[in-house]
Amino acid sequence: MKPPKFEPSEEVLAGDTADIYFARTVEVLKREGLNPVATMEVFTHRAGIICGIEETKALLTRILPKDKREVWALAEGDTMEAKEVVLRFTAPYLSYGLYETAILGYLAHCSGWATAARECVEAAHGIPVISFGARHVHPAVAGVMDYSAVVGGCAGCSSIAGGKLAGIEAAGTMPHALILLMGDTVKATVAFDKHMPPEVPRISLVDTFKDEVEESLRVARALGKKLEGVRLDTPEERGRVTAELVKEVRAWLNLNGFKHIKIFVSGGVTPERIVYFRENGAPVDIFGVGSYISSAKPIDFKADIHEIEGKPISKRGRTPGITPNPRLKRIM
Amino acid sequence: MKPPKFEPSEEVLAGDTADIYFARTVEVLKREGLNPVATMEVFTHRAGIICGIEETKALLTRILPKDKREVWALAEGDTMEAKEVVLRFTAPYLSYGLYETAILGYLAHCSGWATAARECVEAAHGIPVISFGARHVHPAVAGVMDYSAVVGGCAGCSSIAGGKLAGIEAAGTMPHALILLMGDTVKATVAFDKHMPPEVPRISLVDTFKDEVEESLRVARALGKKLEGVRLDTPEERGRVTAELVKEVRAWLNLNGFKHIKIFVSGGVTPERIVYFRENGAPVDIFGVGSYISSAKPIDFKADIHEIEGKPISKRGRTPGITPNPRLKRIM
Amino acid sequence: MKPPKFEPSEEVLAGDTADIYFARTVEVLKREGLNPVATMEVFTHRAGIICGIEETKALLTRILPKDKREVWALAEGDTMEAKEVVLRFTAPYLSYGLYETAILGYLAHCSGWATAARECVEAAHGIPVISFGARHVHPAVAGVMDYSAVVGGCAGCSSIAGGKLAGIEAAGTMPHALILLMGDTVKATVAFDKHMPPEVPRISLVDTFKDEVEESLRVARALGKKLEGVRLDTPEERGRVTAELVKEVRAWLNLNGFKHIKIFVSGGVTPERIVYFRENGAPVDIFGVGSYISSAKPIDFKADIHEIEGKPISKRGRTPGITPNPRLKRIM
Amino acid sequence: MKPPKFEPSEEVLAGDTADIYFARTVEVLKREGLNPVATMEVFTHRAGIICGIEETKALLTRILPKDKREVWALAEGDTMEAKEVVLRFTAPYLSYGLYETAILGYLAHCSGWATAARECVEAAHGIPVISFGARHVHPAVAGVMDYSAVVGGCAGCSSIAGGKLAGIEAAGTMPHALILLMGDTVKATVAFDKHMPPEVPRISLVDTFKDEVEESLRVARALGKKLEGVRLDTPEERGRVTAELVKEVRAWLNLNGFKHIKIFVSGGVTPERIVYFRENGAPVDIFGVGSYISSAKPIDFKADIHEIEGKPISKRGRTPGITPNPRLKRIM
Amino acid sequence: MKPPKFEPSEEVLAGDTADIYFARTVEVLKREGLNPVATMEVFTHRAGIICGIEETKALLTRILPKDKREVWALAEGDTMEAKEVVLRFTAPYLSYGLYETAILGYLAHCSGWATAARECVEAAHGIPVISFGARHVHPAVAGVMDYSAVVGGCAGCSSIAGGKLAGIEAAGTMPHALILLMGDTVKATVAFDKHMPPEVPRISLVDTFKDEVEESLRVARALGKKLEGVRLDTPEERGRVTAELVKEVRAWLNLNGFKHIKIFVSGGVTPERIVYFRENGAPVDIFGVGSYISSAKPIDFKADIHEIEGKPISKRGRTPGITPNPRLKRIM
Amino acid sequence: MKPPKFEPSEEVLAGDTADIYFARTVEVLKREGLNPVATMEVFTHRAGIICGIEETKALLTRILPKDKREVWALAEGDTMEAKEVVLRFTAPYLSYGLYETAILGYLAHCSGWATAARECVEAAHGIPVISFGARHVHPAVAGVMDYSAVVGGCAGCSSIAGGKLAGIEAAGTMPHALILLMGDTVKATVAFDKHMPPEVPRISLVDTFKDEVEESLRVARALGKKLEGVRLDTPEERGRVTAELVKEVRAWLNLNGFKHIKIFVSGGVTPERIVYFRENGAPVDIFGVGSYISSAKPIDFKADIHEIEGKPISKRGRTPGITPNPRLKRIM
């Protein structure tokens, strides 16, 4: 995956998204005539996947003076250890003081999403996982959330914005709404097939009106070889998708000559559920994961000054001076 | 609090933040010449505080045809019951089909933040709670996160963008960076006092270099009556803020004639910690809450079609027809 | 309910079902010329519903000498306290020594079933409960198990033998086999209606081939007013019956004018599940309970000699002499 | 162990022990003129020991038409895996439809007992286990319960009927009643020795009136070499049998020259207790197990039609068609 | 109970039992010519019963200068709250600096014992509790441990030294050794009765050789009206004393006309066991408690200087100045 | 460590610390003219470190007749297994009957302390552990407690009496009192250095008034090379000592050229805390352990007669005769 071209927003550059005390700090220091070169280190207490580095880099490129900056970082998508320094930069404080909130925010939110995605991907042992949870986050971050999921290892994502950022085609099947509006699953699937360009995979959602097995066979008979898959999304009120249901659908499809049709499972999928499906031998071909990724808790990053004008320092609770980390690469 | 003037972003209006299958659904239906009037209902399984309604309303105003729409909703900040319908709208499907992802996203993320804020506020029994967690979220949502916290009952928030949306002045004290850069807490506090306009409250952060009691007395002696408060933010590595520490600081301040100085507590504050402080008699004057609010799990909302052209319908797992809810008010 | 006419089996009367050491004890005592009048008391450590008293009585009537016997007991279906004496009889030891195993067996097994039935009935708050678990027990006790369930409060039972013992008509709907063999639920239901006498209630099983809602509407349309109910028995592999499914079926039936059709729920029903259905507002009309009743653990009864020829005695661990219990009634 | 000659009872053959809906199904199908050849498969969700196959076979022999039947099964006493098919038969449905309840009942109850017995036997690591729990079950199944325990691995059983079915001599010691009636343990043991034929082992029960050690030495002195063992059955009210008590009795017996006398332990014995005795070095020679075996929960078997006239079929929740199982042997 | 006349030991007065750093502190201060009047406060984090105050008082009387001392304290045996100041004294520091270890030691150990005793006494609801645990503590504190138990509410104690301190006669029955050496419980009891003065109660220990019921009846028959009680002390290896055993002994004693004989229970008695006996209706007349009291964890007291020459002070973690406590009485 | 010269106290020799029933037993036996040679065995149910053997030996030397005694024991400080006999002695009963309470008391209390000390030492993996808990025990046992801790493996102890018994110099730093009275940590440390002989290590307590890091640097600068260490004893109210605090102090000391200064950690130290410090890489040089050792539960030892005049005997619950234990050494 090629890193996208991030651009910091006007609001960020203007300092509007900052905690107000940083604006005040910058003001006080300016009036005091103070602008020492200071080194900031960023770390977190939780191990995981680092994400948001690219967006941070785009911001630092804009704000740090070219001739007085030094930036060291892990790469987007690297694993990070608990307490490991993931980003270190040295520059005159006033060039970056206003942006601490934004930098931590990029890393916190994106790394939370990427880490959750990685947990799903690892649980899936090679079965592709698609990020499906854009509807759980504010649309202003829907794209960057899906991008983070792909950084974490997802094979695809459902939001158009996420696809653009990640440089891939967004993925999806069809919503219940289409079937409800067309009044029948077969009718909806046939219409979908008629109007969509050939590169869009035909995957029919088979739990809207009738039993999943019955619908699967109906759409299979209607589209034949053209049908790439069926999606099972049985709601919790109906006992959600079980390993046995997947096996049953598979058995009926095979019995009727539809071995080529894939089974896509969504609805409350988590790493535990993925393991459950695998351990119970359910022949799932693709997992769609929603809130486990998109509602993942942000990872709490902390930024601390460790050196001022070359002199080790720190607040209580931190160790003074540069924290060695050979895994960091200089990026600026 | 007067509701802010929200405007949907270009990206949302263009459908870019949507799940791609909605774009495809709209395409298929258009080509089939189908555009029935359909009623969508939105609900969630978790009780909480509804937020995001205003931003949703701003979007619906833009997209639903004025003469063919009916919108019913709870008000921003209302409590909502588990499984209660919080929003219902009726309009030709093609006018809104592309925006389901965005609408659910507004509600999910904002209600998650507002509900967490409310839990803190209720635990605090009248002691003001300030939202302090902008650094845990992507800057694109820092403002709307703080706005949601205020909707949930917070007395203030730290991000400038949040203050603007909520129509209040952003609140804050000073960061450790200022003190590290000035080299001493008293020096930093005096400089802050010198340069800040009078309406900015003087609250000194007293855990950077020295013991909290010693620093409190030093800054109190330096600023006297002008000092409004001290902030305790002892890091976990140093045992974080305890009820006894608050009492000890209070005792020494009082013993030295500084009864007017308030104590502001931050660092890992949650409803449980707030209850702990209250039950142990710690005289806290203000709580600063970070990740408990800003990292709150979004609330999973679901949108379902319940009526098409006046005919009750539903997918499996839902009850067909309009779900009665006398608490809904017609807003459009 | 009129107590049935029990008759001890030949095998019991011959002593074949006894533990062999009782046969040996009787032999030893006979050869020693010993046959004292001894009082036996029976109790258990678990509170519950006593059942098996009628069958015990039938045996005692046959074996105890009419002029030298005294029998005190609780009545069939009474509640019993932990450690309460539920049966006491006085007679020459040799008349009953061989039957201790059988008497305890009647009480243990039947009280276990009746107690479990009572738990379901109490959980159901007035909604009828039918015993449906004959298939979990050896056919030699299928009838007496269902009889015990009725003693415990069940409104009916499924085995023909149980119905006979309990003096009621056995109850049932139709098995999956009928539908599988007829190839379609509607066909099976129509045939059932055609051939069954009018007093047999028409209750269709609606989860064999298609979705429960769809099948319910299909059979309702086929039989109309003649259809008394539908039975939901969704297997665990398909998420078993949920409260929401019951509500959904009810809503669709009502929406189509079939308010008279009852909903019968079976499959893994336990007191906890019954409470779950009630607390979630599921409009269940009848519960069918299988293994919770029929696989209930027998209640461990103990029989001890407390008096020999009028002299208090007991083994270690028991209190010598008659244990007073005013609730006992003399029955012989 | 040679399989006993089972004969289905009249009640079973008459269909009286069936769930009434099977009688109705048979009636409906007959009137519809339907009698397809159908394949039934029986399986359970719990791993264990299969028992009841012999009794099932006896029934199938009587009811299935010789020229149109095919029966495959595991052997009595085989281990079975969770979800493994343990019995499969193909025949015209009307020949067996009425007997599904009975067949499942044989297997459920007997396999429950055999599986529990096996758990005890495995825990005992070679120390013989005797089934002692006839008094917890209805006498109509006392024999078949003990038979199942022997199938599960017990070295003996206490009921006469069980001994007959299992083709062994029933085993036992003496009840407390004999000692209470004779007034003294030594007197009772001497009388037992005097009157019993030589092949009956002399095992004295030593906890009725006096301390177990004292009684053991008294009966050892009275019978000397003729005494085969002592049985410890201390009731819970007296702290039940402990590992230390067994060791203490052994030490005193050895100290007095009675090394040949075995120690038999009963009373609340379970696999956990057996492990406890072994791990604490208690020299137990025989275990008597009561309710752990006889009150074991029946194992829930399910019977499903998987093929009709050679065509794969199944109800929802099952996989259509024959389930392959190479462990099955054709038995008819 | 009249407080005993405590005298500090030579070792304590010489400072030998002190932590060495107190000796060094006193030396340093002396050489510096410093001896300010300082106020020490003693408190603990656990609520309980304060004990050791009398012994502390005896020490303070010896060491504090009569004209320059002020001592405030709770009374021996008072309840104390968590964090409550239980002792406060003001005097020149050098007069008491060497004794902090000893003072905290008196209070810690004695309050631990008294608090545990109180828990037993409260659980017993009026049934006398005797402290029986001298064998678990070093003989140097056996007496003061038993004294503390009596302060906590025990009706008696077993050690002679404890009885002397508490001003009561030590209580006891007879050890297993006497019975083993005499070879028989009845013989031992008769000898005890023959040689002991009349004021010593005749309580026979009835679990050494034979069953408790049998021995109880044997000693009752041997001593008749002279027997005051029997003691049950069944070891854990024999299932320890159970509520049922107490009831059984009581029943047999009553049945034989020995209603006057009391039942004394010992062996692993704790508050939980006392509640168990009471709730199960066991007619216990006296409880003997050993390790629950004598092995109780000492209560951690802390001594802090809160005022020096009238000026509030404190170390970090404590509140400066006198802590108000109206429950304290001036005792010196 | 050379075993100290213990002498039994007058009170013990007079039998005052005995349970009164032993005095009565001796009296009864004397009057009966009975004084058989009896063998007593002592064991416990808990594994651990045996301590108190030396003090027991000192007592037995005084009381057992030289020509009629045989004593076998484990050595002071040996590990002991659960149920292992740790002491066995044979002598005329009247010579030792009165001292059973004292002997068990020595062993119980001392072994409890030694076992707890060993747990800390093992957790510390070679880092020295000092016993610091004299203030939690009655001063009459402060010395023997610290002696036991050294037997268990502690490198030192704080009480003067304990040091004497263990034959080592008592160890200590300085108390908070010294610093509070001198008004400043540096002043106190300088005075300490001025007045203490050179062999007393200079270890400054650095948490009284100011932040631990600040104080550490202040005292380091004041004493330079003469400062051996700093002690961290942060109270719970201030978050107690954390692994991070140790690291932080270490970093600042090193950064300022004070690598020779050791870090001593005290305050709530337990084996779990020691493991926590080690696992989190905290560079602790010495641990001071208080209540975990000094408040350890005494270990419950039991003494039983197993042989009288060469004849195996025992009370119920014990095995008659000598219990073989090849690890015992004859010591008298």
Side-chain angles (χ1 to χ4, degrees), chain E residues 41-63:
Chain E
E41 290 190 349
V42 177
F43 76 101
T44 178
H45 283 98
R46 261 183 67 195
I49 299 299
I50 181 82
C51 188
I53 281 289
E54 286 297 325
E55 201 163 4
T56 298
K57 198 168 139 187
L59 176 61
L60 292 177
T61 304
R62 286 286 295 273
I63 59 174

Side-chain angles (χ1 to χ4, degrees), chain F residues 204-319:
Chain F
S204 182
L205 177 58
V206 294
D207 59 13
T208 309
F209 286 124
K210 291 168 174 287
D211 184 67
E212 293 84 347
V213 168
E214 192 182 357
E215 289 285 46
S216 295
L217 291 175
R218 289 177 73 230
V219 294
R221 284 171 190 138
L223 260 69
K225 283 289 168 198
K226 288 193 291 181
L227 189 69
E228 179 156 336
V230 292
R231 173 155 74 102
L232 304 175
D233 186 54
T234 315
E236 220 173 318
E237 289 85 349
R238 286 304 199 88
R240 60 185 180 167
V241 184
T242 63
E244 283 81 9
L245 174 58
V246 180
K247 290 194 250 182
E248 194 182 336
V249 169
R250 184 76 272 160
W252 282 104
L253 285 174
N254 290 0
L255 207 57
N256 285 273
F258 302 115
K259 292 201 176 167
H260 72 284
I261 295 177
K262 289 180 176 155
I263 298 179
F264 187 123
V265 167
S266 61
V269 177
T270 61
E272 288 75 31
R273 290 293 289 172
I274 292 175
V275 167
Y276 152 79
F277 281 112
R278 280 203 302 102
E279 293 191 344
N280 285 278
V284 177
D285 295 296
I286 314 175
F287 284 108
V289 178
S291 70
Y292 188 82
I293 294 172
S294 60
S295 300
K297 218 179 156 57
I299 289 180
D300 185 4
F301 282 91
K302 293 169 195 296
D304 293 299
I305 292 175
H306 278 255
E307 224 180 62
I308 298 179
E309 296 288 354
K311 229 188 100 195
I313 194 153
S314 75
K315 68 166 195 167
R316 287 164 75 220
R318 299 290 183 270
T319 307

Side-chain angles (χ1 to χ4, degrees), chain D residues 3 11 28 82 84 95 102 126 128 165 205 222-223 226 242 246 252 255-256 264-265 278 300 307 323 325:
Chain D
E11 211 188 3
V28 169
E84 182 177 12
S95 66
L165 275 177
L205 177 57
L223 259 70
K226 286 192 294 182
T242 65
V246 180
W252 282 104
L255 208 58
N256 285 272
F264 188 122
V265 167
R278 280 202 301 104
D300 185 4
E307 225 181 60
T323 313
N325 183 7

Side-chain angles (χ1 to χ4, degrees), chain D:
Chain D
M1 180 180 137
K2 189 171 144 293
K5 181 122 190 62
F6 283 106
E7 270 305 321
S9 71
E10 282 315 301
E11 211 188 3
V12 165
L13 287 171
D16 269 13
T17 65
D19 288 307
I20 197 165
Y21 47 73
F22 288 112
R24 289 175 183 158
T25 291
V26 164
E27 179 74 13
V28 169
L29 290 171
K30 264 188 207 157
R31 297 203 184 202
E32 290 285 319
L34 283 173
N35 188 15
V37 169
T39 299
M40 188 74 101
E41 292 191 348
V42 176
F43 77 102
T44 177
H45 283 95
R46 263 181 67 195
I49 299 301
I50 182 82
C51 187
I53 282 289
E54 286 297 326
E55 202 163 2
T56 298
K57 198 167 138 187
L59 175 61
L60 292 176
T61 305
R62 287 284 297 270
I63 60 174
L64 299 184
K66 273 213 184 72
D67 51 343
K68 292 172 101 170
R69 75 192 181 194
E70 197 168 312
V71 183
W72 298 75
L74 294 183
E76 192 87 321
D78 274 0
T79 56
M80 57 183 175
E81 299 302 308
K83 304 201 187 169
E84 182 177 12
V85 172
V86 299
L87 171 69
R88 183 196 303 127
F89 50 92
T90 305
Y93 180 77
L94 289 185
S95 66
Y96 65 78
L98 194 53
Y99 305 103
E100 182 176 326
T101 313
I103 291 169
L104 293 179
Y106 292 143
L107 297 175
H109 231 158
C110 297
S111 299
W113 290 317
T115 299
R118 178 65 55 91
E119 291 168 31
C120 295
V121 167
E122 289 185 348
H125 281 205
I127 302 169
V129 173
I130 309 294
S131 173
F132 242 57
R135 74 178 184 282
H136 303 295
V137 294
H138 194 282
V141 291
V144 77
M145 181 279 295
D146 266 348
Y147 158 77
S148 301
V150 174
V151 167
C154 281
C157 65
S158 63
S159 75
I160 299 167
K164 282 184 188 167
L165 275 177
I168 59 175
E169 192 65 26
T173 61
M174 63 181 61
H176 292 104
L178 178 62
I179 296 162
L180 285 159
L181 290 162
M182 305 277 313
D184 179 69
T185 301
V186 171
K187 254 171 85 178
T189 307
V190 168
F192 187 91
D193 177 47
K194 188 164 104 198
H195 301 305
M196 284 296 106
E199 68 273 15
V200 174
R202 273 66 181 153
I203 299 177
S204 183
L205 177 57
V206 293
D207 59 13
T208 310
F209 287 125
K210 291 167 176 287
D211 184 68
E212 292 85 344
V213 169
E214 192 181 359
E215 288 285 45
S216 294
L217 291 175
R218 288 177 75 230
V219 294
R221 285 171 189 137
L223 259 70
K225 285 289 167 196
K226 286 192 294 182
L227 189 68
E228 178 157 337
V230 292
R231 173 155 73 104
L232 303 176
D233 187 53
T234 316
E236 220 172 318
E237 289 86 348
R238 286 307 197 84
R240 61 186 178 165
V241 184
T242 65
E244 284 80 7
L245 174 59
V246 180
K247 290 194 250 184
E248 194 183 337
V249 169
R250 183 77 271 158
W252 282 104
L253 286 173
N254 289 1
L255 208 58
N256 285 272
F258 301 116
K259 294 199 175 167
H260 72 285
I261 295 177
K262 288 181 178 155
I263 299 180
F264 188 122
V265 167
S266 61
V269 177
T270 62
E272 288 75 32
R273 290 292 290 171
I274 292 175
V275 168
Y276 152 80
F277 282 111
R278 280 202 301 104
E279 292 191 344
N280 285 278
V284 177
D285 295 296
I286 312 174
F287 285 108
V289 178
S291 70
Y292 188 82
I293 294 172
S294 60
S295 300
K297 218 179 157 56
I299 289 180
D300 185 4
F301 282 92
K302 291 169 196 296
D304 293 298
I305 292 175
H306 279 254
E307 225 181 60
I308 298 178
E309 295 289 352
K311 230 186 97 193
I313 195 155
S314 76
K315 68 167 192 164
R316 286 164 76 220
R318 299 291 184 270
T319 306
I322 300 300
T323 313
N325 183 7
R327 295 182 64 217
L328 291 176
K329 294 270 174 307
R330 180 155 181 192
I331 58 170
M332 230 178 275

